Amino acid sequence: AQSVTQLGSHVSVSEGALVLLRCNYSSSVPPYLFWYVQYPNQGLQLLLKYTTGATLVKGINGFEAEFKKSETSFHLTKPSAHMSDAAEYFCAVSAWGSQGNLIFGKGTKLSVKP
Amino acid sequence: DTAVSQTPKYLVTQMGNDKSIKCEQNLGHDTMYWYKQDSKKFLKIMFSYNNKELIINETVPNRFSPKSPDKAHLNLHINSLELGDSAVYFCASSSGPAGRFNSPLHFGNGTRLTVT
């Protein structure tokens, strides 16, 4: 079985500051990991994903995440926050044999201050 | 040319009523899903269909019944609506066969259901 824990339900940063959103996962088999972003009144959009291969994955809008198996983590970062990054961010995990059941974390709301 | 479209966007109804939410995807995906997002933004899968066949059926009241007339459509019918059904319901789709899930989900914009 898989599970996801997102540390911090709300993160606030200043415009131009580093964004760090934390995600830890639990999986009995090699995981597939995803970050999604949800803007107000919209559905979720894929930011990036890790399946196999390079552990540092780059996504849209300047975001990237690093898969660290030893730490069971998949933290999301962006060097410089922009006002338009304010949204809800969800980490998710799935795995081979899971029949496509994507398990989501509880989300982290990112606020960006001018 | 919306990839995953849901209708209606908003649905306000009274307890005890029956309502349906429709979903269509034009991505050619084989797998479709219904997720429920509660007031705390928590997302939980309800159902998943692969090529019109039900493959995931989480612990959901029998009042919820999905129907997939073809692989591009997955509708959700809810009988005898209750206050606790109020939430945002998201339809999603993905490519790839069931059991090999490394394909991302493509979400619709959601249907906000309010039961009064």
Side-chain angles (χ1 to χ4, degrees):
Chain A
Q2 294 86 36
S3 66
V4 174
T5 302
Q6 290 185 240
L7 297 174
S9 59
H10 191 190
V11 171
S12 182
V13 300
S14 298
E15 191 173 20
L18 171 72
V19 175
L20 171 60
L21 304 182
R22 299 178 187 274
C23 173
N24 288 89
Y25 70 90
S26 172
S27 179
S28 56
V29 296
Y32 303 131
L33 295 159
F34 305 80
W35 275 100
Y36 284 84
V37 60
Q38 184 180 26
Y39 298 104
N41 298 316
Q42 293 187 27
L44 281 71
Q45 302 172 34
L46 180 70
L47 271 180
L48 49 81
K49 68 175 183 177
Y50 168 79
T51 52
T52 58
T55 56
L56 181 63
V57 292
K58 295 185 184 301
I60 61 172
N61 301 339
F63 284 93
E64 61 183 37
E66 186 171 11
F67 169 61
K68 292 187 176 180
K69 184 178 178 181
S70 60
E71 299 178 7
T72 60
S73 68
F74 191 58
H75 302 329
L76 182 71
T77 60
K78 181 174 181 178
S80 176
H82 193 272
M83 296 296 291
S84 61
D85 295 326
E88 193 92 23
Y89 290 80
F90 294 90
C91 182
V93 64
S94 184
W96 176 277
S98 66
Q99 292 195 318
N101 189 0
L102 194 60
I103 307 296
F104 284 89
K106 294 191 175 183
T108 298
K109 183 175 181 179
L110 176 66
S111 299
V112 182
K113 299 173 290 186
Chain B
D1 60 343
T2 305
V4 181
S5 59
Q6 301 177 224
T7 54
K9 186 174 177 64
Y10 299 98
L11 185 53
V12 181
T13 189
Q14 293 183 326
M15 282 194 303
N17 285 349
D18 303 338
K19 291 293 179 184
S20 292
I21 306 172
K22 295 186 176 182
C23 179
E24 175 182 5
Q25 55 95 4
N26 62 5
L27 296 167
H29 287 165
D30 292 327
T31 311
M32 296 185 72
Y33 311 80
W34 278 109
Y35 275 83
K36 179 180 180 180
Q37 186 175 46
D38 64 22
S39 58
K40 296 184 178 179
K41 299 286 188 178
F42 184 57
L43 272 161
K44 185 173 170 55
I45 192 167
M46 300 173 69
F47 303 103
S48 175
Y49 272 74
N50 187 59
N51 277 325
K52 301 195 300 177
E53 179 184 351
L54 181 65
I55 56 171
I56 294 175
N57 185 358
E58 292 295 301
T59 306
V60 175
N62 291 337
R63 300 181 294 103
F64 290 80
S65 55
K67 288 205 170 34
S68 183
D70 55 61
K71 73 174 192 177
H73 295 83
L74 180 62
N75 303 323
L76 184 65
H77 188 76
I78 316 170
N79 289 327
S80 304
L81 278 155
E82 300 178 356
L83 290 177
D85 297 332
S86 296
V88 181
Y89 293 84
F90 285 99
C91 178
S93 71
S94 69
S95 62
R100 179 184 291 182
F101 190 72
N102 61 2
S103 304
L105 268 61
H106 295 255
F107 284 83
N109 284 336
T111 296
R112 183 174 296 276
L113 172 65
T114 303
V115 183
T116 62

PDB file of all heavy atoms in Angstrom, chain A residues 66-96:
ATOM      1  N   GLU A  66      13.218  16.346  -6.372  1.00  0.00           N
ATOM      2  CA  GLU A  66      14.237  15.312  -6.327  1.00  0.00           C
ATOM      3  C   GLU A  66      13.740  14.099  -5.573  1.00  0.00           C
ATOM      4  O   GLU A  66      13.270  14.216  -4.434  1.00  0.00           O
ATOM      5  CB  GLU A  66      15.512  15.831  -5.671  1.00  0.00           C
ATOM      6  CG  GLU A  66      16.661  14.817  -5.741  1.00  0.00           C
ATOM      7  CD  GLU A  66      17.987  15.398  -5.295  1.00  0.00           C
ATOM      8  OE1 GLU A  66      17.997  16.513  -4.738  1.00  0.00           O
ATOM      9  OE2 GLU A  66      19.008  14.724  -5.500  1.00  0.00           O
ATOM     10  N   PHE A  67      13.827  12.950  -6.207  1.00  0.00           N
ATOM     11  CA  PHE A  67      13.444  11.694  -5.575  1.00  0.00           C
ATOM     12  C   PHE A  67      14.634  11.190  -4.752  1.00  0.00           C
ATOM     13  O   PHE A  67      15.722  10.969  -5.289  1.00  0.00           O
ATOM     14  CB  PHE A  67      13.075  10.669  -6.646  1.00  0.00           C
ATOM     15  CG  PHE A  67      12.905   9.267  -6.127  1.00  0.00           C
ATOM     16  CD1 PHE A  67      11.932   8.983  -5.187  1.00  0.00           C
ATOM     17  CD2 PHE A  67      13.705   8.229  -6.593  1.00  0.00           C
ATOM     18  CE1 PHE A  67      11.759   7.692  -4.713  1.00  0.00           C
ATOM     19  CE2 PHE A  67      13.545   6.929  -6.126  1.00  0.00           C
ATOM     20  CZ  PHE A  67      12.565   6.662  -5.184  1.00  0.00           C
ATOM     21  N   LYS A  68      14.413  11.057  -3.445  1.00  0.00           N
ATOM     22  CA  LYS A  68      15.452  10.542  -2.565  1.00  0.00           C
ATOM     23  C   LYS A  68      14.923   9.277  -1.899  1.00  0.00           C
ATOM     24  O   LYS A  68      14.165   9.349  -0.917  1.00  0.00           O
ATOM     25  CB  LYS A  68      15.856  11.579  -1.524  1.00  0.00           C
ATOM     26  CG  LYS A  68      16.573  12.778  -2.103  1.00  0.00           C
ATOM     27  CD  LYS A  68      17.108  13.686  -1.014  1.00  0.00           C
ATOM     28  CE  LYS A  68      17.907  14.837  -1.619  1.00  0.00           C
ATOM     29  NZ  LYS A  68      18.455  15.744  -0.588  1.00  0.00           N
ATOM     30  N   LYS A  69      15.362   8.150  -2.411  1.00  0.00           N
ATOM     31  CA  LYS A  69      14.855   6.875  -1.922  1.00  0.00           C
ATOM     32  C   LYS A  69      15.221   6.660  -0.460  1.00  0.00           C
ATOM     33  O   LYS A  69      14.399   6.176   0.335  1.00  0.00           O
ATOM     34  CB  LYS A  69      15.420   5.733  -2.771  1.00  0.00           C
ATOM     35  CG  LYS A  69      14.889   4.365  -2.420  1.00  0.00           C
ATOM     36  CD  LYS A  69      15.458   3.315  -3.339  1.00  0.00           C
ATOM     37  CE  LYS A  69      14.954   1.919  -2.950  1.00  0.00           C
ATOM     38  NZ  LYS A  69      15.536   0.877  -3.832  1.00  0.00           N
ATOM     39  N   SER A  70      16.433   7.036  -0.077  1.00  0.00           N
ATOM     40  CA  SER A  70      16.889   6.800   1.294  1.00  0.00           C
ATOM     41  C   SER A  70      16.078   7.601   2.300  1.00  0.00           C
ATOM     42  O   SER A  70      15.934   7.193   3.463  1.00  0.00           O
ATOM     43  CB  SER A  70      18.371   7.166   1.426  1.00  0.00           C
ATOM     44  OG  SER A  70      18.573   8.529   1.119  1.00  0.00           O
ATOM     45  N   GLU A  71      15.541   8.730   1.856  1.00  0.00           N
ATOM     46  CA  GLU A  71      14.737   9.572   2.739  1.00  0.00           C
ATOM     47  C   GLU A  71      13.245   9.429   2.457  1.00  0.00           C
ATOM     48  O   GLU A  71      12.446  10.092   3.123  1.00  0.00           O
ATOM     49  CB  GLU A  71      15.154  11.039   2.567  1.00  0.00           C
ATOM     50  CG  GLU A  71      16.609  11.307   2.916  1.00  0.00           C
ATOM     51  CD  GLU A  71      17.006  12.756   2.681  1.00  0.00           C
ATOM     52  OE1 GLU A  71      16.137  13.594   2.373  1.00  0.00           O
ATOM     53  OE2 GLU A  71      18.209  13.042   2.797  1.00  0.00           O
ATOM     54  N   THR A  72      12.895   8.608   1.522  1.00  0.00           N
ATOM     55  CA  THR A  72      11.503   8.456   1.036  1.00  0.00           C
ATOM     56  C   THR A  72      10.852   9.819   0.866  1.00  0.00           C
ATOM     57  O   THR A  72       9.745  10.076   1.349  1.00  0.00           O
ATOM     58  CB  THR A  72      10.658   7.562   1.973  1.00  0.00           C
ATOM     59  OG1 THR A  72      10.601   8.145   3.284  1.00  0.00           O
ATOM     60  CG2 THR A  72      11.230   6.168   2.052  1.00  0.00           C
ATOM     61  N   SER A  73      11.573  10.703   0.153  1.00  0.00           N
ATOM     62  CA  SER A  73      11.065  12.056  -0.022  1.00  0.00           C
ATOM     63  C   SER A  73      11.008  12.437  -1.497  1.00  0.00           C
ATOM     64  O   SER A  73      11.708  11.861  -2.336  1.00  0.00           O
ATOM     65  CB  SER A  73      11.935  13.057   0.737  1.00  0.00           C
ATOM     66  OG  SER A  73      13.217  13.151   0.142  1.00  0.00           O
ATOM     67  N   PHE A  74      10.194  13.418  -1.770  1.00  0.00           N
ATOM     68  CA  PHE A  74      10.040  13.947  -3.126  1.00  0.00           C
ATOM     69  C   PHE A  74       9.633  15.409  -2.973  1.00  0.00           C
ATOM     70  O   PHE A  74       8.545  15.825  -3.321  1.00  0.00           O
ATOM     71  CB  PHE A  74       9.000  13.139  -3.904  1.00  0.00           C
ATOM     72  CG  PHE A  74       8.950  13.426  -5.381  1.00  0.00           C
ATOM     73  CD1 PHE A  74      10.068  13.270  -6.185  1.00  0.00           C
ATOM     74  CD2 PHE A  74       7.756  13.809  -5.981  1.00  0.00           C
ATOM     75  CE1 PHE A  74      10.011  13.522  -7.549  1.00  0.00           C
ATOM     76  CE2 PHE A  74       7.693  14.061  -7.352  1.00  0.00           C
ATOM     77  CZ  PHE A  74       8.816  13.921  -8.125  1.00  0.00           C
ATOM     78  N   HIS A  75      10.546  16.217  -2.442  1.00  0.00           N
ATOM     79  CA  HIS A  75      10.245  17.619  -2.157  1.00  0.00           C
ATOM     80  C   HIS A  75      10.241  18.456  -3.432  1.00  0.00           C
ATOM     81  O   HIS A  75      11.064  18.247  -4.333  1.00  0.00           O
ATOM     82  CB  HIS A  75      11.270  18.194  -1.172  1.00  0.00           C
ATOM     83  CG  HIS A  75      11.341  17.461   0.131  1.00  0.00           C
ATOM     84  ND1 HIS A  75      10.241  16.823   0.683  1.00  0.00           N
ATOM     85  CD2 HIS A  75      12.375  17.266   0.990  1.00  0.00           C
ATOM     86  CE1 HIS A  75      10.591  16.264   1.832  1.00  0.00           C
ATOM     87  NE2 HIS A  75      11.876  16.508   2.033  1.00  0.00           N
ATOM     88  N   LEU A  76       9.369  19.417  -3.470  1.00  0.00           N
ATOM     89  CA  LEU A  76       9.208  20.308  -4.619  1.00  0.00           C
ATOM     90  C   LEU A  76       9.893  21.636  -4.325  1.00  0.00           C
ATOM     91  O   LEU A  76       9.709  22.207  -3.248  1.00  0.00           O
ATOM     92  CB  LEU A  76       7.722  20.544  -4.889  1.00  0.00           C
ATOM     93  CG  LEU A  76       7.362  21.425  -6.083  1.00  0.00           C
ATOM     94  CD1 LEU A  76       7.666  20.698  -7.391  1.00  0.00           C
ATOM     95  CD2 LEU A  76       5.880  21.819  -6.027  1.00  0.00           C
ATOM     96  N   THR A  77      10.667  22.134  -5.287  1.00  0.00           N
ATOM     97  CA  THR A  77      11.358  23.403  -5.085  1.00  0.00           C
ATOM     98  C   THR A  77      11.246  24.288  -6.318  1.00  0.00           C
ATOM     99  O   THR A  77      11.010  23.823  -7.437  1.00  0.00           O
ATOM    100  CB  THR A  77      12.855  23.194  -4.784  1.00  0.00           C
ATOM    101  OG1 THR A  77      13.455  22.512  -5.891  1.00  0.00           O
ATOM    102  CG2 THR A  77      13.064  22.394  -3.517  1.00  0.00           C
ATOM    103  N   LYS A  78      11.402  25.584  -6.053  1.00  0.00           N
ATOM    104  CA  LYS A  78      11.508  26.575  -7.105  1.00  0.00           C
ATOM    105  C   LYS A  78      12.414  27.671  -6.570  1.00  0.00           C
ATOM    106  O   LYS A  78      12.198  28.154  -5.460  1.00  0.00           O
ATOM    107  CB  LYS A  78      10.147  27.132  -7.493  1.00  0.00           C
ATOM    108  CG  LYS A  78      10.220  28.157  -8.626  1.00  0.00           C
ATOM    109  CD  LYS A  78       8.838  28.577  -9.097  1.00  0.00           C
ATOM    110  CE  LYS A  78       8.966  29.590 -10.236  1.00  0.00           C
ATOM    111  NZ  LYS A  78       7.647  30.006 -10.772  1.00  0.00           N
ATOM    112  N   PRO A  79      13.442  28.061  -7.313  1.00  0.00           N
ATOM    113  CA  PRO A  79      14.432  28.998  -6.772  1.00  0.00           C
ATOM    114  C   PRO A  79      13.848  30.362  -6.413  1.00  0.00           C
ATOM    115  O   PRO A  79      14.258  30.979  -5.432  1.00  0.00           O
ATOM    116  CB  PRO A  79      15.454  29.129  -7.913  1.00  0.00           C
ATOM    117  CG  PRO A  79      15.259  27.925  -8.758  1.00  0.00           C
ATOM    118  CD  PRO A  79      13.816  27.570  -8.660  1.00  0.00           C
ATOM    119  N   SER A  80      12.874  30.827  -7.201  1.00  0.00           N
ATOM    120  CA  SER A  80      12.375  32.178  -7.007  1.00  0.00           C
ATOM    121  C   SER A  80      10.862  32.203  -7.208  1.00  0.00           C
ATOM    122  O   SER A  80      10.366  31.986  -8.316  1.00  0.00           O
ATOM    123  CB  SER A  80      13.051  33.129  -8.004  1.00  0.00           C
ATOM    124  OG  SER A  80      12.538  34.434  -7.904  1.00  0.00           O
ATOM    125  N   ALA A  81      10.151  32.477  -6.134  1.00  0.00           N
ATOM    126  CA  ALA A  81       8.689  32.456  -6.200  1.00  0.00           C
ATOM    127  C   ALA A  81       8.139  33.648  -6.964  1.00  0.00           C
ATOM    128  O   ALA A  81       8.663  34.775  -6.880  1.00  0.00           O
ATOM    129  CB  ALA A  81       8.110  32.445  -4.785  1.00  0.00           C
ATOM    130  N   HIS A  82       7.069  33.374  -7.669  1.00  0.00           N
ATOM    131  CA  HIS A  82       6.343  34.416  -8.392  1.00  0.00           C
ATOM    132  C   HIS A  82       4.931  34.476  -7.852  1.00  0.00           C
ATOM    133  O   HIS A  82       4.395  33.474  -7.372  1.00  0.00           O
ATOM    134  CB  HIS A  82       6.339  34.081  -9.891  1.00  0.00           C
ATOM    135  CG  HIS A  82       5.901  35.207 -10.761  1.00  0.00           C
ATOM    136  ND1 HIS A  82       4.570  35.427 -11.087  1.00  0.00           N
ATOM    137  CD2 HIS A  82       6.611  36.184 -11.367  1.00  0.00           C
ATOM    138  CE1 HIS A  82       4.490  36.488 -11.857  1.00  0.00           C
ATOM    139  NE2 HIS A  82       5.702  36.966 -12.039  1.00  0.00           N
ATOM    140  N   MET A  83       4.339  35.649  -7.924  1.00  0.00           N
ATOM    141  CA  MET A  83       2.973  35.811  -7.411  1.00  0.00           C
ATOM    142  C   MET A  83       2.025  34.780  -8.019  1.00  0.00           C
ATOM    143  O   MET A  83       1.116  34.276  -7.347  1.00  0.00           O
ATOM    144  CB  MET A  83       2.443  37.215  -7.702  1.00  0.00           C
ATOM    145  CG  MET A  83       3.206  38.331  -7.016  1.00  0.00           C
ATOM    146  SD  MET A  83       3.072  38.241  -5.227  1.00  0.00           S
ATOM    147  CE  MET A  83       1.353  38.646  -4.985  1.00  0.00           C
ATOM    148  N   SER A  84       2.243  34.446  -9.267  1.00  0.00           N
ATOM    149  CA  SER A  84       1.354  33.504  -9.959  1.00  0.00           C
ATOM    150  C   SER A  84       1.506  32.059  -9.460  1.00  0.00           C
ATOM    151  O   SER A  84       0.724  31.192  -9.858  1.00  0.00           O
ATOM    152  CB  SER A  84       1.615  33.544 -11.466  1.00  0.00           C
ATOM    153  OG  SER A  84       2.950  33.159 -11.738  1.00  0.00           O
ATOM    154  N   ASP A  85       2.500  31.808  -8.588  1.00  0.00           N
ATOM    155  CA  ASP A  85       2.678  30.460  -8.040  1.00  0.00           C
ATOM    156  C   ASP A  85       1.717  30.168  -6.896  1.00  0.00           C
ATOM    157  O   ASP A  85       1.625  29.020  -6.433  1.00  0.00           O
ATOM    158  CB  ASP A  85       4.119  30.266  -7.544  1.00  0.00           C
ATOM    159  CG  ASP A  85       5.132  30.316  -8.667  1.00  0.00           C
ATOM    160  OD1 ASP A  85       4.806  29.866  -9.782  1.00  0.00           O
ATOM    161  OD2 ASP A  85       6.252  30.819  -8.424  1.00  0.00           O
ATOM    162  N   ALA A  86       1.032  31.181  -6.409  1.00  0.00           N
ATOM    163  CA  ALA A  86       0.095  30.984  -5.304  1.00  0.00           C
ATOM    164  C   ALA A  86      -1.012  30.029  -5.726  1.00  0.00           C
ATOM    165  O   ALA A  86      -1.749  30.283  -6.689  1.00  0.00           O
ATOM    166  CB  ALA A  86      -0.505  32.323  -4.880  1.00  0.00           C
ATOM    167  N   ALA A  87      -1.093  28.901  -5.028  1.00  0.00           N
ATOM    168  CA  ALA A  87      -2.033  27.846  -5.399  1.00  0.00           C
ATOM    169  C   ALA A  87      -1.933  26.742  -4.352  1.00  0.00           C
ATOM    170  O   ALA A  87      -1.177  26.843  -3.383  1.00  0.00           O
ATOM    171  CB  ALA A  87      -1.697  27.273  -6.780  1.00  0.00           C
ATOM    172  N   GLU A  88      -2.714  25.686  -4.564  1.00  0.00           N
ATOM    173  CA  GLU A  88      -2.638  24.490  -3.717  1.00  0.00           C
ATOM    174  C   GLU A  88      -1.798  23.462  -4.457  1.00  0.00           C
ATOM    175  O   GLU A  88      -2.007  23.241  -5.655  1.00  0.00           O
ATOM    176  CB  GLU A  88      -4.058  23.940  -3.473  1.00  0.00           C
ATOM    177  CG  GLU A  88      -4.158  22.900  -2.382  1.00  0.00           C
ATOM    178  CD  GLU A  88      -4.464  23.505  -1.025  1.00  0.00           C
ATOM    179  OE1 GLU A  88      -5.004  24.611  -0.942  1.00  0.00           O
ATOM    180  OE2 GLU A  88      -4.148  22.835  -0.018  1.00  0.00           O
ATOM    181  N   TYR A  89      -0.870  22.818  -3.737  1.00  0.00           N
ATOM    182  CA  TYR A  89       0.016  21.850  -4.359  1.00  0.00           C
ATOM    183  C   TYR A  89      -0.195  20.478  -3.719  1.00  0.00           C
ATOM    184  O   TYR A  89      -0.232  20.348  -2.492  1.00  0.00           O
ATOM    185  CB  TYR A  89       1.476  22.289  -4.208  1.00  0.00           C
ATOM    186  CG  TYR A  89       1.797  23.509  -5.044  1.00  0.00           C
ATOM    187  CD1 TYR A  89       1.448  24.780  -4.609  1.00  0.00           C
ATOM    188  CD2 TYR A  89       2.416  23.377  -6.287  1.00  0.00           C
ATOM    189  CE1 TYR A  89       1.703  25.898  -5.383  1.00  0.00           C
ATOM    190  CE2 TYR A  89       2.694  24.491  -7.067  1.00  0.00           C
ATOM    191  CZ  TYR A  89       2.328  25.750  -6.614  1.00  0.00           C
ATOM    192  OH  TYR A  89       2.593  26.853  -7.395  1.00  0.00           O
ATOM    193  N   PHE A  90      -0.299  19.480  -4.572  1.00  0.00           N
ATOM    194  CA  PHE A  90      -0.547  18.122  -4.107  1.00  0.00           C
ATOM    195  C   PHE A  90       0.551  17.186  -4.575  1.00  0.00           C
ATOM    196  O   PHE A  90       0.888  17.151  -5.757  1.00  0.00           O
ATOM    197  CB  PHE A  90      -1.889  17.595  -4.656  1.00  0.00           C
ATOM    198  CG  PHE A  90      -3.094  18.311  -4.129  1.00  0.00           C
ATOM    199  CD1 PHE A  90      -3.609  19.425  -4.783  1.00  0.00           C
ATOM    200  CD2 PHE A  90      -3.722  17.873  -2.968  1.00  0.00           C
ATOM    201  CE1 PHE A  90      -4.724  20.089  -4.298  1.00  0.00           C
ATOM    202  CE2 PHE A  90      -4.844  18.525  -2.478  1.00  0.00           C
ATOM    203  CZ  PHE A  90      -5.334  19.638  -3.140  1.00  0.00           C
ATOM    204  N   CYS A  91       1.065  16.425  -3.629  1.00  0.00           N
ATOM    205  CA  CYS A  91       1.990  15.343  -3.939  1.00  0.00           C
ATOM    206  C   CYS A  91       1.173  14.059  -4.046  1.00  0.00           C
ATOM    207  O   CYS A  91       0.173  13.889  -3.327  1.00  0.00           O
ATOM    208  CB  CYS A  91       3.024  15.232  -2.827  1.00  0.00           C
ATOM    209  SG  CYS A  91       4.286  13.972  -3.076  1.00  0.00           S
ATOM    210  N   ALA A  92       1.555  13.168  -4.957  1.00  0.00           N
ATOM    211  CA  ALA A  92       0.791  11.940  -5.137  1.00  0.00           C
ATOM    212  C   ALA A  92       1.722  10.783  -5.455  1.00  0.00           C
ATOM    213  O   ALA A  92       2.790  10.970  -6.045  1.00  0.00           O
ATOM    214  CB  ALA A  92      -0.246  12.109  -6.248  1.00  0.00           C
ATOM    215  N   VAL A  93       1.300   9.592  -5.082  1.00  0.00           N
ATOM    216  CA  VAL A  93       2.094   8.396  -5.317  1.00  0.00           C
ATOM    217  C   VAL A  93       1.245   7.306  -5.927  1.00  0.00           C
ATOM    218  O   VAL A  93       0.052   7.179  -5.645  1.00  0.00           O
ATOM    219  CB  VAL A  93       2.733   7.891  -3.994  1.00  0.00           C
ATOM    220  CG1 VAL A  93       1.662   7.448  -3.007  1.00  0.00           C
ATOM    221  CG2 VAL A  93       3.729   6.767  -4.237  1.00  0.00           C
ATOM    222  N   SER A  94       1.867   6.546  -6.795  1.00  0.00           N
ATOM    223  CA  SER A  94       1.238   5.345  -7.317  1.00  0.00           C
ATOM    224  C   SER A  94       2.351   4.320  -7.519  1.00  0.00           C
ATOM    225  O   SER A  94       3.514   4.598  -7.273  1.00  0.00           O
ATOM    226  CB  SER A  94       0.529   5.625  -8.635  1.00  0.00           C
ATOM    227  OG  SER A  94      -0.143   4.468  -9.069  1.00  0.00           O
ATOM    228  N   ALA A  95       1.978   3.152  -7.960  1.00  0.00           N
ATOM    229  CA  ALA A  95       2.997   2.107  -8.119  1.00  0.00           C
ATOM    230  C   ALA A  95       2.486   1.046  -9.059  1.00  0.00           C
ATOM    231  O   ALA A  95       1.279   0.885  -9.261  1.00  0.00           O
ATOM    232  CB  ALA A  95       3.340   1.487  -6.757  1.00  0.00           C
ATOM    233  N   TRP A  96       3.444   0.327  -9.604  1.00  0.00           N
ATOM    234  CA  TRP A  96       3.102  -0.809 -10.460  1.00  0.00           C
ATOM    235  C   TRP A  96       2.175  -1.752  -9.710  1.00  0.00           C
ATOM    236  O   TRP A  96       2.400  -2.078  -8.577  1.00  0.00           O
ATOM    237  CB  TRP A  96       4.380  -1.563 -10.838  1.00  0.00           C
ATOM    238  CG  TRP A  96       4.123  -2.790 -11.640  1.00  0.00           C
ATOM    239  CD1 TRP A  96       3.782  -4.020 -11.146  1.00  0.00           C
ATOM    240  CD2 TRP A  96       4.145  -2.928 -13.045  1.00  0.00           C
ATOM    241  NE1 TRP A  96       3.611  -4.907 -12.167  1.00  0.00           N
ATOM    242  CE2 TRP A  96       3.810  -4.266 -13.350  1.00  0.00           C
ATOM    243  CE3 TRP A  96       4.423  -2.038 -14.090  1.00  0.00           C
ATOM    244  CZ2 TRP A  96       3.763  -4.731 -14.651  1.00  0.00           C
ATOM    245  CZ3 TRP A  96       4.380  -2.512 -15.383  1.00  0.00           C
ATOM    246  CH2 TRP A  96       4.045  -3.838 -15.651  1.00  0.00           C
TER     247      TRP A  96
END
